[in-house]
Amino acid sequence: MAEQIKLQIVQGRLPAGTQLPTVRELARTLGVTRVTVQMAYHELQNAGLVEATVGRGTFVSRHVEARPPAQSLGRQLTPDAVVNDILQLGQIAGLRSLADAAPDASLFPAQEFWQALDECRGEALEMVRYGASQGDPLLRVEVARLLQDRGMAVTPDEVLIVAGVTQGLALVAQALARPGEPVLVEQPTYLGFLHTLKAHGVQPLAVPLDEEGPIPEAVERLAIQQRPRFFYTVPTFQNPTGVCATPARRAQLLALAEQYGFLLVEDDLYARLSYEGPPPPAVKSLDRSESVIHVGGFSKLLMPGLRLGYVVAPPPIHERLLSLRRAMDLCSPPLLQRALARFLHEDGLKRHLRRVLPLYRQRRDALLAALRHHMPPAVQWTRPQGGFCVWLTLPRRSTLADLQQAALQQGWAFAPGEVFLTRPSPDYHLRLCFGAQPPEWIAQGVEVLANLIRERLDRQESVIEPPSDWLPLV
Ligand SMILES: Cc1ncc(COP(=O)(O)O)c(C=O)c1O
């Protein structure tokens, strides 16, 4: 009994502070004597896992750090399950992760941000009420100012603040497509949006990518055959490949959207994480026909826990999104929005990026160098100029089936490629992210992974063919 309760405590199923049943209740429920329960509780108490107070009861100790086991990850290969795994990674003991496209928490500009929060004290009365659904007016001014660097001339009134890009995209999916209707996505694409589309019952259709971005001929063919409602694209340092669409491709995509009457939904989340000079201007900056919805946010630039992003949409769609947003959660927290507005106003983001971009560039270089050094010749990968993601392509072999679990057993997590795809690939893929780990750990993780891959590819008797053509990526 003690072992079972202990397991539930250390895995976090009985969180710190939970009251355990009384001795009498548990004895009755389990059909054992009270002495048995008392002994189990004593054992847990001696191990420091529970605290008993006379007259109050027995509680899970506040000093227990619950950590689910690594084996709880990687059990299912659906976007939902993998997003859930990625969200849990930080809580798992002894695990290092190349799986999440996240910034490094230790680099957050905590001091400056707390100061911005502190400066909101004077406005406390305003901050404790519901805020405007469209978002804090000062934050909208700052976002409009920021968007100038992306080539966009936007007024604060055109900006809708949302709870992260995730909410922005969910609103867009809901506003633009009914269940069963087709939309276009890149192949591969951001797995979180595949989950959002599934939740709305919307049908994603795959547009292959090459090194210059989504392939226009494929977009045109699908536009003619399927009449999609919109094309969701991450043109700048895409997740999961890191690909950055060329200016020519951006113009071609926009021309196709205009010609065939679908909207382009541009996810610009990674654009400012650019390691080789300024990124190309946003597709929205070219939009003269109200064909582009632009979505961005602060999860990768600052901190995902802020849950703040923005949408700039053509006026009728903006109104629709605003109304849906009111139906969903009324507004984002006024206090966090105002603190972010102050932080941006004082150029905190620019200062932060000047500090972290060289570090992320170093990490990208460490990952690419380690891949060159350790990976067997049959493995290929993208070379991103920005963002956090590198996409690996391997020959598909049945021996690779346990790769994720084997890496987890050695203390390393990566994201399996399947979940970023809407149609099967002839190759095996995985995504490695370099933002959250220092270079020495990145090199070590790649070495572990390369050894596991080599072992598995060597197990095949047949000659290993190089993966299918570089163009398209998938
Ligand atoms: C392309 C892309 N869009 C959206 C998101 C989610 O962003 P947010 O945290 O702003 O909801 C992610 C997170 O990984 C992403 O990679």
Side-chain angles (χ1 to χ4, degrees), residues 101 163-166 169 190 232 234 239 267 269-270 299-300 307:
V165 170
T166 301
L169 293 175
Y190 166 51
Y232 167 68
V234 189
N239 178 3
D267 183 338
L269 193 55
Y270 294 93
S299 289
K300 311 298 169 181
R307 308 308 306 132

Side-chain angles (χ1 to χ4, degrees), residues 37 64 109-110 138 182 194 296 303 307 367-368 406 431 437 467 471:
V37 178
V64 176
L138 297 189
L194 289 180
M303 33 193 138
R307 308 308 306 132
L367 177 57
L368 295 179
R431 183 191 72 175
Q437 299 290 345
L471 296 178

Side-chain angles (χ1 to χ4, degrees), residues 130-137 140 159-163 167 171 318 321-332 337:
Y130 288 116
S133 299
Q134 193 181 346
D136 180 89
R140 288 189 284 112
V159 175
L160 166 60
I161 301 296
V162 284
Q167 184 181 53
L171 293 171
H318 173 95
L321 297 176
L322 189 51
S323 163
L324 284 173
R325 200 275 151 91
R326 267 193 292 274
M328 198 179 274
D329 66 349
L330 294 180
C331 63
S332 288
Q337 292 184 77

